[in-house]
Amino acid sequence: MEQETETKQKTNGKQQCFLQIHPEDNVLVALRDLQAGELINENGNDLQLIETIPAKHKFFTKDMNTDDEVIMYGVLVGKVQLPVLKGQAMTITNTKHAAGQYAYRAKDYRWQPPDISRFSNKTFNGYKRADGRVGTANYWLFIPTVFCENRNLDVIREALWNELGYAVTDRYKQFTHQLFMAHQAGENIDAVNLSPTQTAAKNRYFQNVDGIKFLNHAGGCGGTRQDSATLSALLASYADHPNVGGVTLLSLGCQHLQVKNFMDDLKHRNPSFNKPLYVFEQQKIQSEEELITEAIRQTFKGLIEINQLKREPVTLDHLCIGVKCGGSDGFSGISANPAIGHTSDLLVALGGKVLLAEFPELCGAEQDLIDRCVNEETAVKFIELMETYDQQAQQVGSGFHMNPSPGNIKDGLITDAIKSTGAARKGGTSPVVSVLDYTEPVISPGLSLVCTPGNDVEATTGKAASGATLILFTTGLGTPTGNPVAPTIKIATNSTLAKRMSDIIDIDTGPIISGEKTIQEMGEEILDFCIQVANGELIPKAVQLAQDDFIPWKRGVSL
């Protein structure tokens, strides 16, 4: 897919009823519900719909026979399984997944950066770390080396969050108490209402500590030693994250993932690591009570220490943004994803870093990404990771083509190549400067590809591990996903979702669909929002809700 030269969809307030994404496409996207018999004009030619086409779905521009190629975004996204007619809807019955072959071909890719004049002198107030990286937040992090410590973390979380002003469930506790009191008094409990939301930040005792986070997980023992080694590298990456100011590590003692393994990985990742780090091993401590008491006591001392840190102004090239989509719909690839793609291009042009992951959701976009790789070594690494991943999926009777969920399909993403090619637009159009394996840290400014599953939480977990200090997460169906250390900004592909789930959505890109705004305009607005979040001025909904999702990937088959 060539670098796009025209991405404006603004129609002076008049909504188009369909969209041809690329001149070579032989399917169109319905931007609103289209009725059977409706006549539309496509490039000067009349096309009559022979059936109703729901918004977000695709329909054919010509009669096609079995095995004819379906082109969308200018690339192969499927093949016809049954003969179809012009004006007929694309469905899983008449269309199957197909994607083009890919290979390194030493293409001379020329990128034209966007105009960054509006952002060139802007800064954000971040937390400077000793190694030169800058955090958009200042968190204290609790890490268990093994699942046996999860319960102790839960006890510590409740104690610290409730007393230090980080709890987000107070109003639900109050609501439960009100129900109890109403029942005792013989009153109608249906008349009891939930109290208004409280902003936790106003009640924090440590104003310069943005949160106390906990990485509960199900690993560290009982699986393979390779599982524990992967987990150790992941946990070390979170301890070393620029948004983390200090760490408390809880270990049982006898598990596969030993404290020494974690410390070795941490030293390997950052030889100059100098954040406060407290380690507690339960089997060396007299009682659980002593373990929890001392962990809280030492952590409190650490909180006093990192609370001395202050935000300082830094240039935007210190930002590292991960881009992700989940609960995708038929508008994802034409509104929210290309909008944050423009945000990505702006940040790259400013000298920042962008992380695009979800390898099962790059199926069909491989050649474009390979052509944009800065050298053969980078391209070959991407090809090898993609092929190995797909082969593992096929060995268990699956494959990348099985990635789309029932919700994706229902809302117009009929094949994985359609979903993936639209998903890849989150990365913009800049050159691919590096390809990172799971937990590998990002070093180079520019766009990097990170090997993770498509699974929402496994992917965001992996992006944060590689260094994302903010995550832009687009959704068309709605998902509450967040991350413990990387503030996650939720972006709706359509205004209906933005209104219906306003408690979890931060930004609405529906105006692109309605023709009120261009992709470029939305992309700039999103970067403005990112700057405000990086400043600590705005708290994304996922952070407000403490949506701290964390799922380590065992390097098995996960789509």
Side-chain angles (χ1 to χ4, degrees):
M1 186 167 54
E2 299 294 327
Q3 181 171 332
E4 297 175 51
T5 56
E6 179 60 50
T7 54
K8 289 189 176 181
Q9 295 174 15
K10 198 168 186 177
T11 56
N12 296 320
K14 182 180 180 182
Q15 183 179 0
Q16 296 175 237
C17 65
F18 70 90
L19 177 68
Q20 183 179 38
I21 298 171
H22 189 280
E24 296 180 10
D25 291 357
N26 53 23
V27 292
L28 304 177
V29 184
L31 299 182
R32 60 168 173 80
D33 291 342
L34 303 176
Q35 303 305 313
E38 190 169 342
L39 193 67
I40 66 171
N41 188 276
E42 181 240 336
N43 294 326
N45 300 312
D46 287 337
L47 187 158
Q48 188 171 34
L49 301 176
I50 62 174
E51 61 182 315
T52 296
I53 313 294
K56 307 180 185 180
H57 282 258
K58 290 78 185 166
F59 56 96
F60 297 96
T61 62
K62 62 179 182 179
D63 296 347
M64 298 178 70
N65 295 313
T66 303
D67 287 332
D68 282 355
E69 294 186 343
V70 179
I71 307 298
M72 188 173 168
Y73 297 103
V75 299
L76 175 66
V77 296
K79 288 190 176 181
V80 174
Q81 295 190 108
L82 300 170
V84 296
L85 300 175
K86 178 180 179 179
Q88 184 176 345
M90 179 196 294
T91 68
I92 57 174
T93 301
N94 61 35
T95 305
K96 63 181 178 180
H97 168 82
Q101 298 295 310
Y102 57 87
Y104 176 69
R105 56 187 186 184
K107 187 169 183 178
D108 183 21
Y109 182 74
R110 302 292 179 91
W111 182 54
Q112 183 174 345
D115 178 11
I116 56 172
S117 56
R118 192 164 81 77
F119 297 95
S120 56
N121 294 321
K122 289 195 174 185
T123 60
F124 73 95
N125 294 317
Y127 293 98
K128 292 183 179 179
R129 304 302 179 189
D131 58 9
R133 292 179 298 165
V134 178
T136 61
N138 189 33
Y139 296 128
W140 190 275
L141 187 64
F142 276 82
I143 299 177
T145 60
V146 63
F147 56 82
C148 308
E149 294 302 315
N150 284 346
R151 182 264 178 188
N152 291 332
L153 260 66
D154 290 342
V155 172
I156 293 170
R157 177 196 290 113
E158 184 176 357
L160 292 177
W161 278 18
N162 287 343
E163 280 303 310
L164 301 181
Y166 296 99
V168 296
T169 58
D170 283 356
R171 65 193 190 116
Y172 296 110
K173 290 179 181 178
Q174 294 168 10
F175 179 61
T176 304
H177 179 72
Q178 289 170 333
L179 291 174
F180 167 71
M181 296 298 291
H183 179 67
Q184 269 200 331
E187 299 172 356
N188 179 13
I189 62 173
D190 290 331
V192 178
N193 296 316
L194 185 67
S195 62
T197 303
Q198 295 178 344
T199 304
K202 295 179 181 178
N203 304 320
R204 292 200 314 246
Y205 180 69
F206 296 109
Q207 285 297 307
N208 294 329
V209 179
D210 297 298
I212 304 172
K213 304 294 185 173
F214 296 79
L215 299 187
N216 292 44
H217 59 78
C221 200
T224 66
R225 294 299 173 92
Q226 290 85 351
D227 289 343
S228 291
T230 302
L231 178 61
S232 180
L234 176 66
L235 298 178
S237 73
Y238 270 64
D240 186 50
H241 195 280
N243 287 357
V244 172
V247 180
T248 300
L249 186 79
L250 266 61
S251 170
L252 179 61
C254 58
Q255 71 280 342
H256 284 339
L257 202 175
Q258 291 286 295
V259 171
K260 183 181 184 303
N261 301 138
F262 169 84
M263 297 301 293
D264 287 346
D265 282 332
L266 185 55
K267 184 177 180 181
H268 175 75
R269 189 178 184 93
N270 186 354
S272 60
F273 181 89
N274 68 344
K275 300 172 186 175
L277 171 60
Y278 306 124
V279 179
F280 298 89
E281 196 159 78
Q282 188 167 3
Q283 291 172 349
K284 292 181 180 179
I285 297 175
Q286 186 171 354
S287 67
E288 187 173 89
E289 179 180 294
E290 182 181 344
L291 168 75
I292 293 173
T293 301
E294 286 308 306
I296 292 175
R297 188 195 314 276
Q298 294 304 317
T299 298
F300 196 90
K301 293 178 182 178
L303 291 168
I304 294 171
E305 180 179 345
I306 71 168
N307 192 53
Q308 303 305 309
L309 299 172
K310 299 280 197 291
R311 290 182 180 269
E312 301 177 61
V314 294
T315 49
L316 298 184
D317 59 305
H318 290 90
L319 283 176
C320 179
I321 295 180
V323 291
K324 172 76 180 85
C325 55
S328 298
D329 70 348
F331 284 165
S332 294
I334 61 177
S335 62
N337 289 350
I340 68 171
H342 186 64
T343 306
S344 298
D345 283 346
L346 289 168
L347 186 59
V348 169
L350 289 161
K353 301 180 182 74
V354 174
L355 305 179
L356 174 67
E358 305 172 88
F359 274 28
E361 297 184 18
L362 298 179
C363 176
E366 298 100 335
Q367 191 61 62
D368 174 58
L369 294 168
I370 291 166
D371 290 344
R372 288 159 55 188
C373 286
V374 293
N375 54 44
E376 184 175 1
E377 179 183 3
T378 302
V380 168
K381 184 175 181 180
F382 174 58
I383 292 170
E384 290 177 347
L385 285 170
M386 282 291 287
E387 290 181 344
T388 300
Y389 201 154
D390 191 33
Q391 288 167 8
Q392 289 176 336
Q394 291 183 36
Q395 285 171 1
V396 297
S398 187
F400 287 170
H401 67 284
M402 298 182 74
N403 173 274
S405 71
N408 295 150
I409 295 168
K410 181 181 178 182
D411 265 45
L413 299 177
I414 302 301
T415 72
D416 185 52
I418 293 175
K419 179 179 178 179
S420 297
T421 311
R425 300 183 91 189
K426 302 189 302 289
T429 59
S430 70
V432 176
V433 298
S434 68
V435 175
L436 309 174
D437 204 350
Y438 185 64
T439 76
E440 191 175 347
V442 62
I443 303 297
S444 304
L447 173 65
S448 294
L449 307 180
V450 185
C451 185
T452 75
N455 174 287
D456 290 353
V457 181
E458 287 175 322
T460 51
T461 297
K463 287 185 181 72
S466 287
T469 54
L470 293 175
I471 292 175
L472 292 174
F473 193 119
T474 72
T475 182
L477 304 176
T479 171
T481 304
N483 182 265
V485 302
T488 302
I489 299 165
K490 309 303 277 299
I491 303 171
T493 70
N494 61 89
S495 297
T496 300
L497 170 66
K499 293 172 184 174
R500 187 177 72 248
M501 301 185 75
S502 60
D503 58 329
I504 67 168
I505 297 297
D506 298 293
I507 299 172
D508 174 19
T509 60
I512 294 174
I513 301 298
S514 65
E516 298 167 74
K517 291 182 181 178
T518 66
I519 287 170
Q520 289 84 354
E521 287 168 344
M522 280 300 328
E524 290 187 359
E525 287 185 23
I526 293 168
L527 183 53
D528 281 327
F529 194 95
C530 288
I531 294 169
Q532 289 180 288
V533 173
N535 272 332
E537 298 173 21
L538 284 178
I539 302 177
K541 302 289 178 61
V543 179
Q544 292 179 33
L545 296 170
Q547 189 76 39
D548 295 337
D549 301 308
F550 178 78
I551 300 180
W553 180 33
K554 292 185 177 182
R555 298 309 298 257
V557 176
S558 177
L559 302 180

